[in-house]
Structure formats: C-alpha cells, structure tokens
C-alpha cells in the first residue's frame, strides 16, 4: 500500500470549497475524511473521489460531538450564501459556535492542527478600505446577516482562546468572495446567480443599483493560499486575508458575464438586501509576505472556466 502523508478531516467537504480542498489534499497523497451534513453541499461534488481508497465520506453534523483520529482539521462546515445562512439563522449560529467548540475540542484531544474558514464578513460593512487584518470591522450585531457575521466572529474568538488557553495550533483564514466550479446553481450567490441567469437568457438580477463592489477570487487560487497557510510555521496563526484584491462593481460583473456567456439577458434592478456591504476588497500584504501567495487567475479567465462548468451542468 502507498504510504499516505497525513490523515486529514475536512468539515463541509461536500460543499463548493470543501470539495476542491479534498481533491487537492488527495492529490498530494493524504488520507482524507470528508464530513458533511449535506445542507448546501452535495455528494455529486465528490462523486469522482468516492472510488479513491484514501477518501472517506462521512455524514455528520458538526453541532454534535465527533470522535475521529486525524493529524489536521479544516473546518469549512457552514452555509456561505446569504440565502442559505438566513434560511435557519439559529442553526447557522449553532454551526459556527457549537460546531467550532466541537472541532476545537476534538483538535485539543488529539493535538491536531486546525484551520478555520473565517470570512471577510467579520469586517461587516467596512469603514476602512481595503480591509487589513488589523481592522476590527463594522458589524451589525442584530441584523439578518448577523447569524453568519457574528457567528464567524465568535468562532475566531474561540480559536484564539483555545490557542491561548490550550496551546492549540490554529490557522484562521479570512476568505473573501470566491467562485468557481462546484458552486451550487441554487446557491443565491452573485456569480452563480448571474451565470445561471445568463446561460438561460433570463434577466440578470442586480440588487440595488449595482455600484456596490466585491473582489472575486478563483477557487484554485484560494485553495493554494489555504494550503500554504496550513503548511506555514506554527507561530503564524493568522488571521490572514485570503482573496483577490482586484475590485469590481456588481454592475461590471453582470456586464462581463453577459459578454463572456454570449447571452441575450437583460439587466433588472431589485431591492438591495438589508445590511448589504457597500464595498469589499482584501489587503493581502500579510499573505504575500508570510505565504509568498497572491492570486494568479484573473476574473475573465476564472469566469470562463466557471461558465463552462455551468454549461455542462445545465445541459
Ligand atoms: P458551501 O455552502 O458550498 O459549503 C459548506 C458546506 O458545509 C456544505 O457542504 C454544507 O452542507 C456543509 N455544512 C453546513 N452546515 C453543516 C453542519 N452543521 N455540519 C456539517 N456540515 C455542514 O459554501 P462554501 O463556499 O464552500 O464555503 C465553505 C466555508 O468557507 C464556509 O465556512 C464559508 O463560511 C467559508 N467562506 C466561503 C466564502 C466563499 O466565497 N465561498 C467566503 C468566505 C468564507
Ligand atoms: N469534543 C468532540 N470530540 C472530541 C473531544 C471533544 O466532539 O474528541 C467536543 C465535546 O463534545 C466538547 C467540546 O468538544 O463539548 C469541547 O471540548 P473541550 O475538551 O474543549 O471542553 P469540555 O469537554 O471540557 O467542555
Ligand atoms: N447580488 C446581486 N444579485 C444577485 C445576488 C447577489 O446583485 O442575484 C449582490 C448582493 O446584493 C451583494 C453582492 O451581489 O451586493 C454579492 O453577493 P453574494 O451573496 O454573492 O455575497 P456577499 O454579499 O456575502 O459578499
């Protein structure tokens, strides 16, 4: 039998980012346990991995305790799209807080290194632009996005308390908007919504006037950043921003997708959801300096690959 390098647990492994991460970890010769409750993720994202003897799929909800023996944990379990995390907000908080406590308790017992998929949402509707890790954020604690934003902030607190109190090896990555193949077509996030609408020649739904900005990172770049971060020295806990610093308005994104998909879609404007951040762009100097990492795939190329994925999926 081939010697595997490490035994690794990926929570949320059936989701968009988790499925790409499992694939990369297997390619690098690791033994992977992919855990998911299939709330937003799906077995089809990892179907091509199920035959691999070093891949194990486990149906489990991280709000319940978990007893496994691994060397590393990547904690990605949590719905990421506003539509899904607002569907059952109490459950979202439980996943972020109880889930983090369980995964940290597990990491503590087995002395595993643990990565937390945190988010740019910890900055809320930012008053500082672009956002460096030193910025504490501008977050509404009682709004409709709070279950996610405050849940993720509390998870960061828990990670740093376990680090200080129990000397856990932690890695907190603040992920900015990431897109690519394996996004759920019904996810409700902007890139998947616009591509599916464009491919079906249905109107593109812009919320607000489309002048709000986001910075979109292609999934392969993000996964590379996460892996470099996990491999970095134990003294580098983060938080570290992982994202693409090139910023676009949502209107620019819509036009580019219509263009690349060769679509006849029109654009319609719908009400802006409550607390929708005006702007978002990572300051990635820390990741560049400590991980020698920066994104390589531009928006045009990344969108082309994502459009191709959705074309095959919808066919
Ligand atoms: P996703 O919804 O595709 O994946 C999340 C996965 O977690 C799904 O497979 C879902 O079924 C699973 N899950 C949810 N609750 C669970 C629970 N209680 N127990 C077990 N599994 C559970 O989203 P994604 O984009 O792949 O995001 C993955 C992680 O990265 C999330 O933690 C998200 O907050 C974070 N993140 C993503 C982005 C992004 O732009 N994609 C940005 C910032 C942070
Ligand atoms: N836990 C787990 N798997 C383990 C160890 C702990 O799921 O292998 C859970 C356990 O349910 C506990 C949580 O992690 O509630 C926090 O564990 P910790 O040891 O930090 O706290 P304590 O058990 O002392 O409350
Ligand atoms: N958005 C939009 N139309 C859509 C979906 C989203 O205009 O069909 C907007 C949304 O209001 C936000 C931006 O696109 O301003 C990014 O939304 P997403 O849900 O993808 O991510 P987040 O707001 O969490 O960054």
């Amino acid at each position: 039998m081939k010697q595997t390098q490490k035994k690794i647990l990926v929570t949320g492994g059936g989701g968009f980012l988790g499925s790409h991460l499992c694939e990369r970890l297997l390619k690098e010769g690791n033994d992977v346990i992919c855990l998911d409750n299939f709330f937003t993720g799906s077995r089809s994202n990892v179907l091509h991995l199920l035959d691999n003897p070093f891949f194990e799929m486990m149906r489990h909800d991280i709000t319940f305790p978990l007893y496994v023996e691994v060397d590393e944990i990547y904690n990605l379990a949590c719905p990421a799209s506003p539509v899904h995390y607002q569907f059952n907000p109490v459950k979202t908080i439980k996943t972020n807080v109880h889930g983090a406590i369980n995964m940290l308790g597990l990491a503590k017992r087995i002395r595993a290194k643990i990565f937390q998929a945190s988010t740019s949402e910890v900055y809320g509707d930012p008053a500082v632009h672009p956002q460096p890790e030193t910025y504490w954020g501008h977050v509404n604690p009682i709004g409709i996005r709070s279950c996610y934003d405050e849940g993720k902030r509390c998870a960061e607190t828990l990670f740093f308390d376990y680090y200080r109190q129990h000397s856990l090896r932690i890695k907190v990555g603040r992920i900015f908007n990431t897109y690519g193949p394996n996004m759920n077509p019904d996810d409700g996030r902007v890139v998947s919504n616009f591509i599916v609408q464009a491919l079906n020649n249905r109107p593109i739904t812009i919320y607000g006037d489309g002048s709000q900005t986001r910075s979109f990172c292609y999934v392969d770049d993000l996964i590379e950043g996460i892996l470099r971060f996990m491999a970095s020295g134990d003294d580098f806990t983060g938080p570290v921003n992982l994202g693409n610093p090139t910023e676009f308005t949502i209107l620019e994104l819509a036009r580019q997708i219509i263009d690349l998909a060769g679509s006849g879609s029109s654009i319609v404007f719908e009400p802006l959801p409550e607390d929708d951040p005006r702007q978002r762009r990572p300051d990635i100097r820390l990741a560049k300096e400590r991980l020698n990492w920066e994104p390589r795939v531009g928006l045009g190329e990344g969108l082309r690959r994502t459009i191709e994925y959705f074309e095959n999926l919808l066919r």
Side-chain angles (χ1 to χ4, degrees):
M1 280 281 262
K2 187 172 91 171
Q3 278 290 314
T4 56
Q5 293 183 354
K6 289 185 202 114
K7 233 177 157 23
I8 299 178
L9 170 69
V10 178
T11 79
F16 161 49
L17 296 179
S19 58
H20 286 272
L21 183 60
C22 287
E23 191 171 328
R24 267 294 297 270
L25 291 170
L26 283 170
K27 259 191 200 138
E28 294 182 1
N30 299 294
D31 202 333
V32 175
I33 301 178
C34 168
L35 177 154
D36 211 291
N37 71 349
F38 298 117
F39 173 47
T40 51
S42 119
R43 201 183 289 276
S44 62
N45 283 338
V46 291
L47 211 54
H48 60 299
L49 306 177
L50 289 175
D51 285 343
N52 188 322
F54 297 102
F55 181 77
E56 184 182 342
M57 183 83 236
M58 183 175 189
R59 183 186 288 265
H60 180 81
D61 186 314
I62 61 161
T63 61
F64 296 97
L66 174 73
Y67 291 85
V68 293
E69 314 299 317
V70 292
D71 305 303
E72 292 181 350
I73 302 167
Y74 290 84
N75 187 34
L76 272 63
C78 179
S81 142
V83 177
H84 287 127
Y85 71 64
Q86 288 164 19
F87 172 74
N88 184 345
V90 173
K91 175 73 189 186
T92 300
I93 298 183
K94 286 183 184 170
T95 295
N96 277 316
V97 178
H98 293 182
I101 292 174
N102 285 329
M103 293 309 102
L104 287 162
L106 169 66
K108 183 183 118 192
R109 178 179 64 79
I110 59 179
R111 303 314 298 171
K113 194 194 297 194
I114 180 166
F115 169 84
Q116 167 66 359
S118 191
T119 166
S120 54
E121 290 287 322
V122 300
Y123 301 122
D125 189 9
V128 170
H129 193 71
Q131 295 78 53
E133 292 83 352
T134 47
Y135 177 49
W136 288 356
H138 176 228
V139 179
N140 177 358
I142 58 166
I144 57 170
R145 293 175 83 100
S146 313
C147 59
Y148 184 77
D149 300 10
E150 296 287 23
K152 289 282 188 184
R153 285 169 68 95
C154 183
E156 286 201 7
T157 307
L158 283 162
F159 269 70
F160 278 86
D161 282 331
Y162 270 79
Y163 166 70
R164 285 184 288 256
Q165 203 172 324
H166 300 299
S167 308
L168 222 62
R169 290 178 296 155
I170 62 159
K171 298 277 177 188
V172 175
R174 290 183 179 156
I175 302 169
F176 283 65
N177 294 65
T178 301
Y179 68 99
N182 294 5
M183 285 183 100
N184 181 339
D186 304 316
D187 197 52
R189 277 182 277 190
V190 69
V191 174
S192 45
N193 266 11
F194 285 4
I195 292 180
V196 171
Q197 290 163 344
L199 291 175
N200 289 319
N201 289 309
R202 289 202 314 262
I204 304 277
T205 54
I206 288 189
Y207 304 157
D209 62 7
S211 63
Q212 72 271 37
T213 69
R214 294 292 187 275
S215 307
F216 300 99
C217 186
Y218 187 66
V219 60
D220 291 357
D221 282 333
L222 183 86
I223 298 297
E224 178 63 31
I226 292 178
L227 292 178
R228 285 192 191 199
F229 183 30
M230 200 61 157
S232 65
D234 288 347
D235 63 320
F236 187 42
T237 57
V240 63
N241 289 338
L242 295 171
N244 190 318
T246 318
E247 184 179 3
F248 296 88
T249 67
I250 294 303
L251 186 59
E252 283 168 339
L253 177 76
R255 291 200 173 120
Q256 192 158 351
I257 289 176
I258 291 174
D259 192 35
L260 288 169
S263 170
S265 290
S266 59
I267 290 179
V268 295
F269 294 89
E270 295 187 356
L272 190 67
E274 200 180 298
D275 292 340
D276 199 275
R278 284 288 317 151
Q279 52 186 5
R280 213 25 102 48
R281 175 171 151 205
D283 177 335
I284 61 163
R285 279 177 295 181
L286 185 63
K288 272 189 188 162
E289 186 190 309
R290 297 297 304 259
L291 308 175
N292 189 24
W293 173 85
E294 64 183 312
R296 294 176 181 282
V297 183
L299 186 66
E301 176 56 24
L303 287 177
R304 257 188 290 278
R305 294 187 206 169
T306 312
I307 289 169
E308 197 182 305
Y309 166 79
F310 278 108
E311 265 169 351
N312 287 326
L313 191 76
L314 300 176
R315 196 173 285 151

